[in-house]
Amino acid sequence: QVQLVESGGGSVQAGGSLTLSCVSSGGIFRSYHMGWYRQGRAGDREYVSRILSNGNTFYANFAKGRFTISRDDNQNTVTLQMNNLNFEDTGIYYCNAVIGSGPNSGADYWGQGTQVTVQG
């Protein structure tokens, strides 16, 4: 069973930065496609960024140029560096893993989320 634990959320002033981390346990991390989603005040969960098992990265339009996703397969960790944050970035950020190969290919898992609050 794959478990994901996020950390790094908090409160920051507009224009500031935060780094979110997600540690995975169980399974073979290097085969996972990892991603970040967020849930804002409206309640809808929206896509933020994804990094495939081969290292290719993708971003939502609002994240391009401000957010950077990376992974460390030795540490079973995916990181989201967020710069120049604004009020609209406030929300709960969730880590997502999609199994990329093997008999469970396509199965996805979610962390519990970490709160990001941007003030000012």
Side-chain angles (χ1 to χ4, degrees):
Q1 183 72 15
V2 177
Q3 293 186 326
L4 304 173
V5 178
E6 302 98 334
S7 63
S11 181
V12 64
Q13 292 292 317
S17 300
L18 282 175
T19 301
L20 307 182
S21 294
C22 172
V23 178
S24 171
S25 60
I28 304 173
F29 180 80
R30 64 178 180 272
S31 72
Y32 303 163
H33 306 313
M34 301 299 299
W36 289 93
Y37 290 73
R38 70 186 187 184
Q39 185 171 344
R41 292 177 298 167
D44 296 329
R45 189 173 295 190
E46 65 177 346
Y47 160 77
V48 177
S49 181
R50 177 162 296 281
I51 184 166
L52 303 185
S53 59
N54 64 7
N56 288 347
T57 58
F58 304 89
Y59 298 91
N61 285 337
F62 65 80
K64 292 178 180 177
R66 298 190 301 131
F67 295 2
T68 302
I69 192 170
S70 60
R71 64 188 295 156
D72 184 340
D73 289 348
N74 292 321
Q75 299 295 324
N76 293 354
T77 300
V78 62
T79 299
L80 185 69
Q81 172 67 44
M82 304 186 295
N83 298 323
N84 194 21
L85 289 162
N86 58 58
F87 180 74
E88 287 70 32
D89 296 317
T90 295
I92 301 172
Y93 283 68
Y94 295 92
C95 179
N96 170 258
V98 176
I99 308 303
S101 61
N104 294 322
S105 179
D108 72 327
Y109 300 88
W110 294 89
Q112 293 299 306
T114 185
Q115 176 71 44
V116 171
T117 302
V118 184
Q119 300 176 333

